[in-house]
Amino acid sequence: MTGDRQAMLFGLGAVALWSTVATAFKVALAQMSPLALMWLASLVSWALIGVLVARQGLLGQALRRGWRTALWAGLMNPVAYYLVLFGAYDRLPGQEAMALNYTWALAMAFLAVPLLGQRLTRLDVLAGLIAYGGVWVIATRGAVFDVAFADPLGVGLALASTLLWALYWLLNARDPRPPLVAQWQNFSVGVPVLTVLLLAGPGMAWHGWTALGAGVYVGLFEMGIAFVLWQLAVHRVSRTAKVSNLIFLSPPVSLLLLFLVVGEPILPSTLVGLVLILGGLALQQWQKAPAPVAQP
């Protein structure tokens, strides 16, 4: 099997898993707080990635160096990013939070201007206008001339999560740590912080087997296995565009699962807004010539 074919299979596996997490978020958050879900999922992911780090012989390196970066990176991801993201899912229908979260790639392009000195092209600006037009449609639930959002805090949290995610990856562009080591170290910082927050806030509580299963699922797949699969895809493919475009398969599947499992009726405003967001992202990617994959 060629490297590109392996990369496509790994990428499809990651996208398939990411397509299910919006449903898992809503199932878990129906029975537990965002903080409790964050703690459980992070603990599971920390244990899983720790096993992978040890199996690859990277544990010694992970224990010796890289912690100065992990101190601030772990506070951004997982702590700040997922708490904000879960807060958005707790307040909004899963379809809206999921769609709004897909604007992170545009947020990264705009933040790269002041942080990395990059320039925006006309297509970047046009893509942003189209995609954030979709955000407006979703936020107003189709009442585009009415500035009264159905849940302004939920919309704000969803958009803030895109800024945090984009900022995290821009600041980590020159991170010399191997991806698995970086992920494990970040969770090693995040889990104790989340434990303190949980004990100081709602405290430990039993939320039932369904909540436990959903939390473990999020930790294993959204934060764990999907990350590993995506890293394998990116590192084995000859051109990043071949796998990056796979992410466009995820939203339709997520909407279908939210409808079938959670019972969310699919709002026409979500469909229109999602088409605009994905159209803007496609336009942004279309302008860029494919480049060889660089080792992060």
Side-chain angles (χ1 to χ4, degrees):
M1 185 179 293
T2 65
D4 278 357
R5 182 168 294 182
Q6 288 181 339
M8 291 294 287
L9 291 176
F10 288 136
L12 285 171
V15 169
L17 293 177
W18 279 328
S19 298
T20 67
V21 294
T23 298
F25 290 166
K26 294 302 291 185
V27 170
L29 290 170
Q31 302 170 68
M32 61 200 307
S33 68
L35 182 55
L37 173 58
M38 183 68 243
W39 177 81
L40 174 59
S42 295
L43 183 64
V44 170
S45 186
W46 172 80
L48 170 67
I49 296 175
V51 170
L52 295 177
V53 167
R55 286 179 63 87
Q56 293 193 13
L58 297 172
L59 187 58
Q61 177 183 345
L63 292 174
R64 286 193 303 270
R65 58 181 180 270
W67 291 99
R68 182 175 298 180
T69 301
L71 284 175
W72 64 263
L75 292 178
M76 287 189 69
N77 175 36
V79 178
Y81 169 69
Y82 280 105
L83 282 178
V84 171
L85 180 64
F86 290 169
Y89 270 94
D90 196 37
R91 300 186 64 92
L92 296 173
Q95 60 191 284
E96 294 184 0
M98 179 272 298
L100 295 175
N101 187 248
Y102 267 84
T103 61
W104 68 265
L106 289 160
M108 181 178 290
F110 293 133
L111 286 174
V113 175
L115 293 179
L116 302 181
Q118 297 180 4
R119 294 182 178 181
L120 291 176
T121 67
R122 292 180 180 178
L123 279 181
D124 283 325
V125 176
L126 180 59
L129 291 174
I130 293 172
Y132 285 112
V135 170
W136 184 264
V137 171
I138 292 171
T140 60
R141 294 185 181 172
V144 294
F145 299 108
D146 185 359
V147 294
F149 295 164
D151 191 328
L153 179 56
V155 171
L157 289 171
L159 293 177
S161 73
T162 70
L163 294 176
L164 283 169
W165 188 248
L167 185 61
Y168 169 78
W169 285 109
L170 287 173
L171 293 177
N172 277 272
R174 297 178 177 87
D175 188 349
R177 299 177 297 168
L180 273 181
V181 170
Q183 191 81 340
W184 183 76
Q185 288 180 334
N186 291 354
F187 277 97
S188 296
V189 171
V191 169
V193 173
L194 291 167
T195 302
V196 171
L197 291 175
L198 186 64
L199 293 175
M204 299 285 185
W206 173 250
H207 300 281
W209 290 107
T210 301
L212 176 65
V216 170
Y217 185 91
V218 170
L220 283 177
F221 296 107
E222 207 281 341
M223 300 177 183
I225 295 174
F227 171 83
V228 175
L229 289 175
W230 190 255
Q231 287 293 328
L232 288 171
V234 169
H235 283 271
R236 294 185 184 216
V237 75
S238 60
R239 291 186 292 117
T240 54
K242 287 187 175 183
V243 293
S244 62
N245 289 332
L246 293 176
I247 201 66
F248 292 100
L249 300 174
S250 182
V253 179
S254 294
L255 287 179
L256 181 61
L257 289 175
L258 285 167
F259 173 72
L260 294 175
V261 179
V262 181
E264 277 191 13
I266 301 175
L267 301 176
S269 57
T270 300
L271 290 176
V272 173
L274 187 56
V275 167
L276 290 171
I277 289 172
L278 294 181
L281 292 175
L283 182 63
Q284 182 197 39
Q285 288 202 8
W286 172 73
Q287 69 171 322
K288 298 175 181 176
V293 178
Q295 186 80 11

